[in-house]
Coordinates of all heavy atoms in Angstrom, one line a residue:
M292 N 0.2 27.6 33.3 CA 0.0 27.5 31.9 C 1.4 27.7 31.2 O 2.2 28.5 31.6 CB -1.0 28.5 31.4 CG -1.1 28.4 29.9 SD -1.8 29.6 28.9 CE -3.1 30.3 29.8
K293 N 1.6 26.8 30.3 CA 2.9 27.0 29.4 C 2.5 27.6 28.1 O 1.4 27.2 27.5 CB 3.5 25.6 29.2 CG 3.9 24.9 30.4 CD 5.3 25.4 30.9 CE 5.8 24.7 32.0 NZ 7.1 25.2 32.4
S294 N 3.2 28.4 27.5 CA 3.0 28.9 26.1 C 4.3 29.2 25.4 O 5.3 29.5 26.1 CB 2.0 30.1 26.2 OG 2.7 31.2 26.7
F295 N 4.3 29.1 24.1 CA 5.4 29.4 23.4 C 4.9 29.8 22.0 O 3.8 29.4 21.5 CB 6.4 28.3 23.4 CG 5.9 27.0 22.7 CD1 6.1 26.7 21.4 CD2 5.3 26.0 23.5 CE1 5.6 25.5 20.8 CE2 4.8 24.8 23.0 CZ 4.9 24.6 21.6
N296 N 5.8 30.4 21.2 CA 5.5 30.9 19.9 C 6.3 30.0 18.9 O 7.4 29.5 19.3 CB 5.9 32.4 19.7 CG 5.1 33.3 20.4 OD1 3.8 32.9 20.7 ND2 5.6 34.5 20.8
F297 N 5.8 29.9 17.8 CA 6.3 29.0 16.7 C 6.0 29.7 15.3 O 4.9 30.1 15.1 CB 5.8 27.6 16.8 CG 6.5 26.7 15.7 CD1 7.7 26.3 15.9 CD2 5.8 26.4 14.5 CE1 8.3 25.3 15.0 CE2 6.3 25.6 13.6 CZ 7.6 25.1 13.8
T298 N 7.1 29.7 14.4 CA 6.8 30.2 13.1 C 6.7 29.0 12.1 O 7.7 28.2 12.1 CB 7.8 31.2 12.7 OG1 7.7 32.3 13.6 CG2 7.6 31.8 11.3
I299 N 5.7 28.9 11.4 CA 5.5 27.8 10.5 C 6.4 27.9 9.4 O 6.5 29.0 8.7 CB 4.0 27.7 10.0 CG1 3.1 27.4 11.2 CG2 3.9 26.7 8.8 CD1 1.6 27.6 10.9
T300 N 7.3 26.9 9.0 CA 8.2 26.8 7.9 C 7.8 25.9 6.8 O 8.3 26.0 5.7 CB 9.6 26.4 8.5 OG1 9.5 25.1 9.0 CG2 10.1 27.4 9.5
D301 N 6.8 25.1 7.0 CA 6.3 24.2 5.9 C 5.7 25.0 4.8 O 5.0 25.9 5.1 CB 5.4 23.2 6.5 CG 5.0 22.1 5.5 OD1 4.2 22.4 4.6 OD2 5.2 21.0 5.7
E302 N 6.1 24.7 3.6 CA 5.5 25.4 2.4 C 4.0 25.3 2.4 O 3.4 26.4 1.9 CB 6.1 24.6 1.1 CG 7.6 24.9 0.9 CD 7.9 26.4 0.7 OE1 7.2 27.1 0.0 OE2 9.0 26.8 1.1
L303 N 3.3 24.3 2.9 CA 1.8 24.2 2.8 C 1.2 24.7 4.1 O 0.0 24.7 4.1 CB 1.5 22.8 2.5 CG 2.1 22.2 1.2 CD1 1.7 20.8 1.0 CD2 1.5 23.0 0.1
G304 N 2.0 25.1 5.1 CA 1.4 25.5 6.3 C 0.9 24.4 7.1 O 1.2 23.2 6.9
I305 N -0.3 24.6 7.9 CA -0.9 23.5 8.7 C -1.9 22.9 7.6 O -2.9 23.5 7.4 CB -1.6 24.1 9.9 CG1 -0.6 24.7 10.9 CG2 -2.4 22.9 10.5 CD1 -1.2 25.2 12.2
H306 N -1.5 21.8 7.1 CA -2.4 21.1 6.2 C -2.9 19.8 6.8 O -2.5 19.4 7.9 CB -1.8 21.0 4.8 CG -0.5 20.3 4.8 ND1 -0.4 18.9 4.6 CD2 0.8 20.7 5.1 CE1 0.9 18.6 4.6 NE2 1.6 19.7 4.9
A307 N -3.6 19.0 6.0 CA -4.2 17.8 6.6 C -3.3 16.8 7.3 O -3.6 16.3 8.4 CB -5.1 17.2 5.6
R308 N -2.3 16.4 6.7 CA -1.4 15.4 7.3 C -0.8 15.8 8.6 O -1.1 15.1 9.6 CB -0.3 15.0 6.4 CG 0.6 13.8 6.9 CD 1.8 13.6 6.0 NE 2.8 14.7 6.0 CZ 3.6 15.2 6.9 NH1 3.5 14.4 8.1 NH2 4.2 16.2 6.9
P309 N -0.1 17.0 8.7 CA 0.3 17.3 10.0 C -0.6 17.7 11.0 O -0.5 17.4 12.2 CB 1.3 18.5 9.7 CG 0.9 19.0 8.4 CD 0.3 17.9 7.7
A310 N -1.8 18.2 10.6 CA -2.9 18.6 11.5 C -3.5 17.3 12.2 O -3.7 17.2 13.4 CB -4.0 19.2 10.8
G311 N -3.6 16.2 11.3 CA -4.1 14.9 11.8 C -3.1 14.3 12.9 O -3.6 13.7 13.9
L312 N -1.8 14.4 12.5 CA -0.8 13.9 13.4 C -0.8 14.7 14.7 O -0.6 14.1 15.9 CB 0.5 13.9 12.8 CG 0.7 13.0 11.6 CD1 2.1 13.2 11.0 CD2 0.6 11.5 12.1
L313 N -1.0 16.0 14.7 CA -1.0 16.9 15.9 C -2.1 16.5 16.7 O -2.1 16.5 18.0 CB -1.0 18.4 15.5 CG -1.0 19.3 16.6 CD1 0.1 19.1 17.6 CD2 -0.9 20.7 16.1
V314 N -3.3 16.3 16.1 CA -4.5 16.0 16.8 C -4.3 14.6 17.6 O -4.7 14.5 18.8 CB -5.7 15.8 15.9 CG1 -7.0 15.2 16.6 CG2 -6.2 17.2 15.4
K315 N -3.8 13.7 16.9 CA -3.4 12.4 17.5 C -2.5 12.6 18.7 O -2.7 12.0 19.8 CB -2.9 11.4 16.6 CG -2.6 10.0 17.1 CD -2.2 9.2 16.0 CE -2.1 7.6 16.5 NZ -1.6 6.7 15.5
L316 N -1.5 13.4 18.6 CA -0.5 13.7 19.7 C -1.1 14.3 20.8 O -1.1 14.0 22.0 CB 0.7 14.6 19.1 CG 1.7 14.9 20.2 CD1 2.6 13.8 20.7 CD2 2.6 16.1 19.6
A317 N -1.9 15.4 20.5 CA -2.6 16.2 21.4 C -3.6 15.4 22.3 O -3.7 15.6 23.5 CB -3.3 17.4 21.0
G318 N -4.3 14.5 21.6 CA -5.2 13.6 22.3 C -4.6 12.7 23.4 O -5.3 12.1 24.3
G319 N -3.3 12.5 23.3 CA -2.7 11.6 24.3 C -2.4 12.4 25.7 O -1.9 11.7 26.5
Y320 N -2.7 13.6 25.7 CA -2.5 14.4 26.9 C -3.8 14.8 27.6 O -4.7 15.1 26.9 CB -1.6 15.5 26.7 CG -0.3 15.1 26.3 CD1 0.1 15.0 24.9 CD2 0.8 14.7 27.2 CE1 1.4 14.6 24.5 CE2 2.0 14.3 26.8 CZ 2.3 14.2 25.4 OH 3.6 13.8 25.0
Q321 N -3.7 14.9 29.0 CA -5.0 15.5 29.6 C -5.2 17.1 29.5 O -6.2 17.4 29.6 CB -4.8 15.1 31.1 CG -5.1 13.6 31.4 CD -4.9 13.3 32.9 OE1 -4.8 14.2 33.7 NE2 -4.8 12.0 33.2
S322 N -4.0 17.6 29.3 CA -4.0 19.2 29.3 C -4.7 19.7 28.1 O -4.8 19.0 27.0 CB -2.6 19.6 29.3 OG -1.9 19.3 30.4
D323 N -5.3 20.9 28.2 CA -5.9 21.5 27.1 C -4.7 22.2 26.3 O -4.0 22.8 26.9 CB -6.9 22.6 27.6 CG -8.1 22.1 28.4 OD1 -8.5 21.0 27.9 OD2 -8.6 22.7 29.3
I324 N -4.8 21.9 25.0 CA -3.8 22.5 24.1 C -4.5 23.3 23.1 O -5.3 22.8 22.4 CB -3.0 21.2 23.4 CG1 -2.4 20.5 24.5 CG2 -1.9 21.9 22.5 CD1 -1.7 19.1 24.1
S325 N -4.1 24.6 23.0 CA -4.7 25.4 22.0 C -3.6 26.1 21.1 O -2.5 26.3 21.6 CB -5.5 26.7 22.8 OG -6.4 26.1 23.6
I326 N -4.1 26.3 19.9 CA -3.2 26.9 18.9 C -3.9 28.4 18.6 O -5.1 28.4 18.3 CB -3.0 26.2 17.6 CG1 -2.6 24.7 17.8 CG2 -2.0 26.9 16.6 CD1 -1.3 24.5 18.4
V327 N -3.1 29.4 18.8 CA -3.7 30.7 18.6 C -3.0 31.5 17.4 O -1.8 31.5 17.3 CB -3.6 31.7 19.9 CG1 -4.1 33.0 19.7 CG2 -4.2 31.0 21.1
K328 N -3.9 32.0 16.6 CA -3.3 32.7 15.4 C -4.2 34.0 15.1 O -5.4 33.9 15.0 CB -3.3 31.9 14.1 CG -3.0 32.6 12.9 CD -3.4 31.9 11.6 CE -3.3 32.8 10.4 NZ -4.4 32.9 9.7
D329 N -3.5 35.1 15.2 CA -4.2 36.4 15.0 C -5.5 36.5 15.9 O -6.6 36.9 15.5 CB -4.7 36.6 13.5 CG -3.6 36.6 12.6 OD1 -2.5 36.9 13.0 OD2 -3.6 36.2 11.5
G330 N -5.3 36.1 17.2 CA -6.5 36.2 18.2 C -7.5 35.1 18.1 O -8.4 35.1 18.9
K331 N -7.4 34.3 17.1 CA -8.4 33.1 17.0 C -7.6 31.9 17.5 O -6.6 31.5 17.2 CB -8.8 32.9 15.6 CG -9.8 31.8 15.3 CD -10.1 31.7 13.8 CE -11.1 30.6 13.6 NZ -11.5 30.5 12.1
S332 N -8.5 31.2 18.4 CA -7.9 30.0 19.2 C -8.6 28.8 18.6 O -9.8 28.8 18.3 CB -8.2 30.2 20.7 OG -7.7 29.0 21.3
A333 N -7.8 27.7 18.4 CA -8.3 26.5 18.0 C -7.8 25.3 19.1 O -6.6 25.3 19.4 CB -7.7 26.1 16.7
N334 N -8.7 24.4 19.3 CA -8.3 23.3 20.1 C -7.5 22.3 19.3 O -7.9 21.9 18.1 CB -9.7 22.6 20.6 CG -9.4 21.4 21.5 OD1 -8.4 20.8 21.5 ND2 -10.5 21.1 22.2
A335 N -6.3 22.0 19.8 CA -5.4 21.1 19.1 C -5.8 19.7 19.0 O -5.3 18.9 18.3 CB -4.0 21.2 19.6
K336 N -6.9 19.4 19.7 CA -7.4 18.0 19.6 C -8.7 17.9 18.6 O -9.2 16.8 18.5 CB -8.0 17.6 21.0 CG -6.9 17.6 22.1 CD -7.3 17.2 23.4 CE -6.1 17.2 24.5 NZ -6.5 16.9 25.8
R337 N -8.9 18.9 17.9 CA -9.9 19.0 16.8 C -9.4 19.4 15.5 O -9.0 20.5 15.3 CB -11.0 19.8 17.2 CG -11.6 19.5 18.6 CD -12.8 20.4 19.0 NE -14.0 19.9 19.4 CZ -14.6 18.7 19.2 NH1 -14.1 17.8 18.5 NH2 -15.8 18.3 19.9
I338 N -9.4 18.5 14.5 CA -8.7 18.7 13.2 C -9.3 19.8 12.6 O -8.6 20.6 11.9 CB -8.6 17.5 12.3 CG1 -7.6 17.7 11.2 CG2 -9.9 17.0 11.8 CD1 -7.3 16.5 10.4
M339 N -10.7 19.9 12.5 CA -11.4 21.0 11.8 C -11.1 22.4 12.4 O -10.9 23.4 11.6 CB -12.9 20.8 11.6 CG -13.3 19.6 10.9 SD -12.5 19.5 9.3 CE -13.4 20.8 8.4
A340 N -10.9 22.5 13.6 CA -10.4 23.7 14.3 C -9.1 24.2 13.9 O -8.9 25.4 13.6 CB -10.5 23.5 15.8
L341 N -8.2 23.1 13.8 CA -6.8 23.5 13.4 C -6.8 24.0 11.9 O -6.2 25.0 11.5 CB -5.8 22.2 13.5 CG -5.5 21.9 14.9 CD1 -4.7 20.6 14.9 CD2 -4.7 22.9 15.5
M342 N -7.5 23.3 11.0 CA -7.5 23.6 9.6 C -8.2 25.0 9.4 O -7.8 25.7 8.6 CB -8.4 22.6 8.9 CG -7.8 21.2 8.9 SD -6.1 21.1 8.2 CE -6.6 21.2 6.5
S343 N -9.1 25.3 10.3 CA -9.9 26.7 10.1 C -8.9 27.8 10.4 O -9.3 28.9 10.1 CB -11.1 26.7 11.0 OG -10.6 26.8 12.4
L344 N -7.8 27.6 11.1 CA -6.9 28.7 11.3 C -6.3 29.2 10.1 O -5.8 30.4 10.0 CB -5.8 28.3 12.2 CG -6.2 28.0 13.7 CD1 -5.0 27.5 14.5 CD2 -6.7 29.3 14.4
S345 N -6.1 28.5 9.0 CA -5.5 28.8 7.7 C -4.1 29.4 8.0 O -3.8 30.4 7.4 CB -6.4 29.8 7.0 OG -7.6 29.3 6.7
A346 N -3.4 28.6 8.7 CA -2.0 29.1 9.1 C -1.1 28.7 7.9 O -0.8 27.5 7.7 CB -1.6 28.5 10.4
T347 N -0.4 29.6 7.4 CA 0.4 29.4 6.1 C 1.8 29.6 6.5 O 2.2 30.0 7.6 CB 0.1 30.3 5.0 OG1 0.2 31.7 5.5 CG2 -1.3 30.2 4.5
K348 N 2.8 29.3 5.6 CA 4.1 29.4 5.8 C 4.5 30.9 6.2 O 4.0 31.8 5.7 CB 5.1 29.1 4.6 CG 6.5 29.2 4.8 CD 7.2 28.9 3.5 CE 8.8 29.0 3.9 NZ 9.5 28.7 2.6
G349 N 5.3 30.9 7.3 CA 5.7 32.4 7.8 C 4.8 32.8 8.9 O 5.1 33.8 9.5
T350 N 3.7 32.1 9.2 CA 2.7 32.6 10.2 C 3.3 32.3 11.6 O 3.7 31.1 11.7 CB 1.4 31.9 10.0 OG1 0.9 32.2 8.7 CG2 0.4 32.3 11.1
E351 N 3.2 33.2 12.4 CA 3.5 32.9 13.9 C 2.3 32.6 14.6 O 1.3 33.2 14.6 CB 4.2 34.1 14.4 CG 4.7 33.8 15.9 CD 5.5 34.9 16.5 OE1 4.8 35.8 17.1 OE2 6.7 34.8 16.5
I352 N 2.4 31.4 15.3 CA 1.2 31.0 16.2 C 1.8 30.8 17.6 O 3.0 30.7 17.7 CB 0.8 29.5 15.6 CG1 1.9 28.5 15.6 CG2 0.1 29.6 14.3 CD1 1.5 27.1 15.2
T353 N 0.8 30.8 18.4 CA 1.1 30.6 19.9 C 0.5 29.4 20.3 O -0.6 29.1 20.1 CB 0.6 31.9 20.7 OG1 1.3 33.1 20.2 CG2 1.0 31.7 22.2
I354 N 1.3 28.6 21.0 CA 0.7 27.3 21.6 C 0.6 27.5 23.1 O 1.4 28.0 23.7 CB 1.6 26.1 21.3 CG1 1.8 25.9 19.8 CG2 1.2 24.9 21.9 CD1 2.6 26.8 19.1
Q355 N -0.6 27.2 23.6 CA -1.0 27.4 25.0 C -1.4 26.0 25.6 O -2.3 25.4 24.9 CB -2.1 28.3 25.2 CG -1.8 29.8 24.8 CD -2.9 30.7 24.8 OE1 -4.1 30.3 24.8 NE2 -2.6 32.0 24.9
V356 N -0.7 25.5 26.6 CA -1.0 24.3 27.2 C -1.2 24.5 28.6 O -0.5 25.1 29.4 CB 0.2 23.4 27.0 CG1 0.0 21.9 27.5 CG2 0.7 23.2 25.6
E357 N -2.4 23.9 29.2 CA -2.7 24.0 30.6 C -3.4 22.8 31.1 O -4.3 22.3 30.4 CB -3.7 25.2 30.7 CG -4.0 25.5 32.1 CD -4.8 26.8 32.3 OE1 -5.2 27.4 31.4 OE2 -5.0 27.2 33.5
G358 N -2.8 22.3 32.2 CA -3.4 21.0 32.7 C -2.5 20.3 33.5 O -1.3 20.7 33.7
P359 N -2.7 19.1 33.9 CA -1.9 18.3 34.9 C -0.6 17.9 34.3 O 0.4 17.7 35.0 CB -2.8 17.1 35.3 CG -3.8 17.1 34.2 CD -4.0 18.5 33.7
D360 N -0.6 17.7 33.0 CA 0.7 17.1 32.2 C 1.3 18.3 31.2 O 1.8 18.0 30.2 CB 0.5 15.8 31.7 CG -0.8 15.8 30.6 OD1 -1.3 16.9 30.4 OD2 -1.0 14.8 30.0
E361 N 1.0 19.5 31.6 CA 1.3 20.6 30.7 C 2.8 20.6 30.3 O 3.2 20.9 29.1 CB 0.9 21.9 31.2 CG 1.5 22.4 32.4 CD 0.9 23.7 32.9 OE1 -0.3 23.9 32.8 OE2 1.6 24.4 33.6
D362 N 3.7 20.4 31.2 CA 5.2 20.4 30.9 C 5.5 19.3 29.9 O 6.1 19.7 28.8 CB 6.0 20.1 32.2 CG 5.9 21.2 33.2 OD1 5.7 22.4 32.8 OD2 6.1 21.0 34.4
E363 N 5.1 18.2 30.0 CA 5.3 17.0 29.1 C 4.6 17.3 27.7 O 5.2 17.2 26.7 CB 4.8 15.7 29.6 CG 5.1 14.6 28.8 CD 4.6 13.2 29.4 OE1 4.3 13.2 30.7 OE2 4.4 12.3 28.6
A364 N 3.4 17.8 27.8 CA 2.6 18.1 26.6 C 3.3 19.3 25.8 O 3.4 19.1 24.6 CB 1.1 18.4 26.9
A365 N 3.6 20.2 26.5 CA 4.2 21.5 25.7 C 5.5 21.0 25.1 O 5.8 21.4 23.9 CB 4.5 22.5 26.7
K366 N 6.3 20.2 25.7 CA 7.6 19.7 25.1 C 7.3 18.9 23.9 O 7.9 19.1 22.9 CB 8.4 19.0 26.1 CG 9.8 18.6 25.6 CD 10.6 17.9 26.7 CE 11.9 17.4 26.1 NZ 12.6 16.5 27.0
A367 N 6.4 18.0 24.1 CA 6.1 17.0 22.9 C 5.5 17.9 21.6 O 5.8 17.6 20.5 CB 5.0 16.1 23.4
V368 N 4.6 18.8 21.9 CA 4.1 19.6 20.8 C 5.2 20.5 20.1 O 5.2 20.5 18.9 CB 2.9 20.5 21.4 CG1 2.4 21.5 20.4 CG2 1.7 19.6 21.8
E369 N 6.0 21.0 21.0 CA 7.1 21.8 20.4 C 8.0 21.1 19.5 O 8.3 21.4 18.4 CB 7.9 22.5 21.5 CG 9.0 23.5 21.0 CD 9.6 24.3 22.0 OE1 9.5 24.0 23.2 OE2 10.2 25.3 21.7
E370 N 8.4 19.9 20.0 CA 9.2 19.0 19.1 C 8.6 18.5 17.9 O 9.1 18.3 16.8 CB 9.6 17.7 20.0 CG 10.6 18.1 21.1 CD 10.9 16.9 22.0 OE1 10.2 15.7 21.8 OE2 11.7 17.0 23.0
F371 N 7.2 18.2 18.0 CA 6.4 17.9 16.9 C 6.4 19.0 15.8 O 6.6 18.8 14.6 CB 5.1 17.5 17.2 CG 4.1 17.3 16.0 CD1 4.1 16.1 15.4 CD2 3.3 18.4 15.5 CE1 3.3 15.9 14.4 CE2 2.5 18.2 14.5 CZ 2.4 17.0 13.8
L372 N 6.1 20.3 16.2 CA 6.1 21.3 15.3 C 7.5 21.6 14.7 O 7.4 21.8 13.4 CB 5.7 22.6 16.1 CG 4.3 22.7 16.6 CD1 4.0 23.9 17.5 CD2 3.2 22.5 15.5
K373 N 8.5 21.5 15.4 CA 9.9 21.7 14.8 C 10.1 20.5 13.7 O 10.8 20.9 12.7 CB 10.9 21.6 15.8 CG 10.9 22.8 16.7 CD 12.0 22.7 17.9 CE 12.0 24.0 18.7 NZ 12.9 23.9 19.8
A374 N 9.6 19.4 13.9 CA 10.0 18.3 13.0 C 8.9 18.3 11.7 O 9.2 17.7 10.7 CB 9.8 17.0 13.6
N375 N 7.7 18.8 11.9 CA 6.7 18.6 11.0 C 6.1 20.0 10.3 O 5.5 19.9 9.2 CB 5.5 17.9 11.5 CG 5.9 16.5 11.8 OD1 6.0 15.6 11.0 ND2 6.2 16.2 13.2
L376 N 6.3 21.1 11.0 CA 5.8 22.4 10.5 C 6.9 23.4 10.4 O 6.7 24.5 9.9 CB 4.6 22.8 11.2 CG 3.4 22.0 11.1 CD1 2.2 22.5 12.0 CD2 2.8 22.1 9.7

């Protein structure tokens, strides 16, 4: 399993546009990708799960990736977060 932390810098936090793009990105990988905030985990392939985290600017989240393509998926998600959140 790969995991890393990320602090959200976007003024609006995780909102509909980047959440939708993240779901699309995550859906392209076989690995399970989860976003964890304050002990609550959300499947990154489900937009409503991501939105339910209510992750705002300054929130630290943990991304956990597990599966056959976890190295590639973790790198792609990290790059996406840096560019969009």
Side-chain angles (χ1 to χ4, degrees):
M292 179 192 328
K293 297 278 182 182
S294 72
F295 61 92
N296 293 332
F297 180 80
T298 301
I299 297 172
T300 57
D301 187 290
E302 290 294 327
L303 301 174
I305 297 180
H306 55 94
R308 185 191 58 79
L312 294 172
L313 180 56
V314 167
K315 186 174 182 178
L316 174 72
Y320 294 97
Q321 294 178 4
S322 295
D323 293 326
I324 303 171
S325 299
I326 310 292
V327 181
K328 176 194 165 236
D329 298 332
K331 183 177 177 183
S332 179
N334 182 338
K336 297 179 182 181
R337 302 183 136 327
I338 193 166
M339 294 309 290
L341 289 176
M342 299 296 291
S343 73
L344 290 175
S345 300
T347 57
K348 181 178 179 180
T350 301
E351 183 173 82
I352 56 175
T353 301
I354 295 77
Q355 299 173 336
V356 184
E357 185 170 7
D360 54 2
E361 64 187 30
D362 292 330
E363 183 182 340
K366 182 178 179 185
V368 170
E369 185 171 16
E370 289 173 2
F371 173 85
L372 293 174
K373 287 178 181 177
N375 294 282
L376 287 175

